[in-house]
Amino acid sequence: MSDDLFRYVLRLADDHLVLGQRLGEWCGQAPSLEEDLALANIGLDCLGQARALYTYAGKVEGKGRDEDALAFLRPEREYCNALLVEQANRDFAWAIARQFYFSAFMLPFWRAMAKSGDDDLRAIAAKAEKEVAYHLRHSAEWVIRLGDGTEESRRRMIEALEELFIYTGELFEMDDVALAMVSEGVGVDASDLLDEWRRTVDGVLAEAHLEAPDAAYAQTGGRAGRHTEHLGHLLSELQYMQRAYPGLEW
Amino acid sequence: MGVVVAGALNPSNVRSRRAWDVAAAVPDPEIPVVTLADLGILRGVECNDDGAVIARVTPTYSGCPATRLIEQMVLEALKRDGFENVRVESVMSPAWTTDWITAEGREKLRAFGIAPPVKSSNSIRALFGETAVNCPLCDSGDTERISEFGSTPCKALYRCRTCLEPFDYFKCL
Ligand SMILES: [Zn+2]
C-alpha cells in the first residue's frame, strides 16, 4: 500500500515539476510581456503543486527524503512523469498545445481527487483544481486565437496539436500502481476521464476551426521511467546546482 | 475560526486574543494595504497551557512565493510583542478561497486600486465565462481583460474603456 502510494504521488509530483520547469524556460522569452507573466505564473502554480506532492511523497516513503532530495537527486530513469510534459518548447504554439492537453486532463482529475479518501491528496486537489481552471482557460483561448489566426499561426498550432497528440494517451493509462490506488479509494480512475477530456478538446478545436487530431497509437513509458530524449537535458539544467555543489543552500 | 472567547476571560484566552490581534494585523507582503485577517489566510491562533503559541496560516495559491515570507512575518510579529515559544503552521485544508476575504478587505483593495473578486469562487468552472469587473478608479463596468495573469499569481490585468486606466483584478479562487 504505502509503496504504491509513494509511487502514485511521486508521478503526480514529477508531472508538475517537469512542466513547471518547461514553463519557467519561457521567462524573458515569451512573445509579449503579458504572456511572460502568464507562463511564469502557471509554472509557479505547477511548482507549488509539485512541492506539496513531493513533501507528501517523502512522508509516505518514510526514508527521510524531503522535497529537494526527491526533485534534485533522482536520475532520469527514476523520474516517472508523463512524456507529454517533458516535450521541449519548440515554439509558443507548442507550449500552448502541451498545456491545453494537460490542463484539460488535470481539471477533471483534480476534481475527482478532491473526493479521495486520502486527506493530503484531497487538500492538494481542492486547491489545484481551482488553479488549473485558469490554466485551461488561458491555453484554450490561445488555441483558438492561434488556430483561427493568421496562416502562419494556424499552421504552427495544427502542427503542435498533431505532434503532441501521441503523448496524450498515456495520461489515461491505468497500470498496477494506479489500479491499486483506485481500489484503496485513494486514486482516480483516469480512464473514466477520457470522455470529458475529448469533449473539452473537441469543443475548443471546433471553435478554432481546427480538426481534432487522432492517433493510431499512444506513446507511453514515462510512468516506468522510459523517457524521450528531452527529459535528460531538462534535468541536467534543473539539477545542476545540487549535483555540482551537493547540499548547497541559500 | 480562531479564538474561543466565550465565557469569562481566563489568562490563557486573554493571551490568545492578544496573539490573534498581533498576527491578524500583519500586512500581506505583496499587497500591504490588506492584513492577513482581511485576506482570511490567518486561520487560527492558539495559546497552549504550557505557554506555546501556535498560529495557523493557509497559502493562497499553491505556488505563492510569499507563503514562507508570511509565516516568517507572523513569527517575528509575535516575538516582537513578547510572545516566546511561537510556532507557525501551514494548513492546506480546507483550501483558501477568495470568498474568505472580508468586506473590509475588499473595500481596502478597491481603495488601493485593485478590483476585488466579483463572484463566488465556484464561477471559474465555466471555461469561457467572462467576468464583468468594475473599474476600481471610476466604477465603470466597461472594462476588458488584458491578461489572465498579472504581477502576482492572485491577480489578472484589466483595462478600463471609460477612464482608459489599466488596473489589477484580484481573481476569484
Ligand atoms: Zn475607469
Side-chain angles (χ1 to χ4, degrees):
Chain A
M1 159 71 183
S2 84
D3 187 49
D4 283 337
L5 180 59
F6 170 67
R7 286 166 66 196
Y8 190 72
V9 177
L10 194 63
R11 290 171 178 187
L12 272 173
D14 287 345
D15 282 347
H16 290 86
L17 178 65
V18 169
L19 184 56
Q21 176 77 3
R22 279 288 181 235
L23 288 161
E25 289 171 13
W26 282 99
C27 205
Q29 319 235 14
S32 69
L33 181 61
E34 287 77 9
E35 277 317 297
D36 222 73
L37 287 171
L39 296 175
N41 269 314
I42 296 170
L44 265 181
D45 283 344
C46 290
L47 186 63
Q49 291 157 10
R51 289 187 59 187
L53 291 161
Y54 279 131
T55 300
Y56 181 45
K59 198 171 92 184
V60 170
E61 189 192 34
K63 292 182 184 165
R65 286 203 279 183
D66 64 3
E67 50 175 321
D68 288 342
L70 289 169
F72 294 124
L73 301 176
R74 278 179 308 136
E76 183 188 354
R77 288 298 302 263
E78 286 178 29
Y79 261 75
C80 41
N81 58 280
L83 300 176
L84 175 67
V85 295
E86 71 196 39
Q87 298 309 306
N89 291 319
R90 210 183 287 181
D91 61 16
F92 183 66
W94 204 263
I96 291 299
R98 186 183 56 207
Q99 194 67 43
F100 174 58
Y101 284 150
F102 187 69
S103 300
F105 171 76
M106 287 313 300
L107 185 62
F109 182 91
W110 287 129
R111 191 182 298 145
M113 186 63 94
K115 300 187 191 96
S116 165
D118 182 289
D119 292 344
D120 290 76
L121 285 175
R122 207 169 51 236
I124 293 167
K127 193 165 267 307
E129 182 200 343
K130 298 198 273 181
E131 294 165 355
V132 170
Y134 283 109
H135 305 172
L136 178 58
R137 186 157 94 176
H138 169 264
S139 54
E141 285 179 355
W142 272 110
V143 168
I144 295 167
R145 201 172 292 137
L146 296 174
D148 198 20
T150 66
E151 209 174 293
E152 176 71 4
S153 73
R154 182 178 174 80
R155 182 185 67 75
R156 292 197 189 205
M157 197 66 246
I158 290 172
E159 193 177 293
L161 287 165
E162 283 183 350
E163 291 200 38
L164 287 171
F165 197 84
I166 58 163
Y167 301 110
T168 58
E170 187 179 33
L171 299 173
F172 305 93
E173 208 176 42
M174 292 296 292
D175 66 355
D176 290 346
V177 170
L179 287 169
M181 285 299 98
V182 170
S183 72
E184 300 275 352
V186 167
V188 171
D189 191 339
S191 62
D192 283 350
L193 309 177
L194 182 59
D195 286 346
E196 177 172 351
W197 181 82
R198 194 73 228 200
R199 272 198 306 279
T200 306
V201 169
D202 288 353
V204 169
L205 294 192
E207 212 165 319
H209 303 292
L210 297 176
E211 281 187 33
D214 231 321
Y217 82 110
Q219 182 70 47
T220 69
R223 301 301 186 204
R226 292 190 306 276
H227 292 280
T228 61
E229 69 272 28
H230 304 293
L231 183 67
H233 295 290
L234 179 145
L235 290 180
S236 69
E237 236 179 77
L238 175 81
Q239 299 183 335
Y240 173 80
M241 200 65 89
Q242 280 305 316
R243 299 293 191 182
Y245 304 95
L248 180 76
E249 281 182 44
W250 66 87
Chain B
M1 290 300 295
V3 196
V4 181
V5 285
L9 288 178
N10 62 41
S12 152
N13 61 31
V14 169
R15 263 169 57 82
S16 292
R17 225 184 191 177
R18 172 76 203 164
W20 166 273
D21 288 344
V22 169
V26 171
D28 178 78
E30 284 177 339
I31 313 171
V33 291
V34 286
T35 65
L36 303 188
D38 291 332
L39 288 174
I41 58 183
L42 183 65
R43 304 308 297 156
V45 180
E46 258 171 48
C47 289
N48 285 351
D49 293 340
D50 61 5
V53 182
I54 302 148
R56 295 198 175 81
V57 293
T58 189
T60 52
Y61 281 69
S62 303
C64 180
T67 304
R68 261 178 80 175
L69 181 58
I70 288 171
E71 292 175 11
Q72 193 61 34
M73 287 167 77
V74 170
L75 201 68
E76 281 166 13
L78 285 166
K79 285 187 173 167
R80 225 178 7 250
D81 203 68
F83 289 94
E84 285 162 28
N85 194 5
V86 180
R87 209 163 72 226
V88 180
E89 284 178 3
S90 173
V91 286
M92 289 289 285
S93 182
W96 180 80
T97 151
T98 41
D99 298 348
W100 292 351
I101 300 177
T102 63
E104 200 187 338
R106 294 169 59 87
E107 204 31 60
K108 286 181 186 171
L109 287 171
R110 195 191 327 271
F112 187 61
I114 299 173
V118 289
K119 285 186 191 165
S120 116
S121 56
N122 292 329
S123 59
I124 57 165
R125 282 190 179 174
L127 187 48
F128 296 113
E130 268 303 316
T131 315
V133 178
N134 278 24
C135 172
L137 305 166
C138 73
D139 204 38
S140 164
D142 188 14
T143 62
E144 62 181 332
R145 191 178 76 215
I146 304 170
S147 175
E148 190 81 84
F149 298 88
S151 53
T152 63
C154 55
K155 287 179 281 180
L157 279 178
Y158 272 70
R159 172 166 45 210
C160 174
R161 291 203 195 91
T162 303
C163 73
L164 305 180
E165 288 292 329
F167 65 89
D168 278 328
Y169 166 59
F170 203 115
K171 292 187 281 192
C172 291
L173 191 75

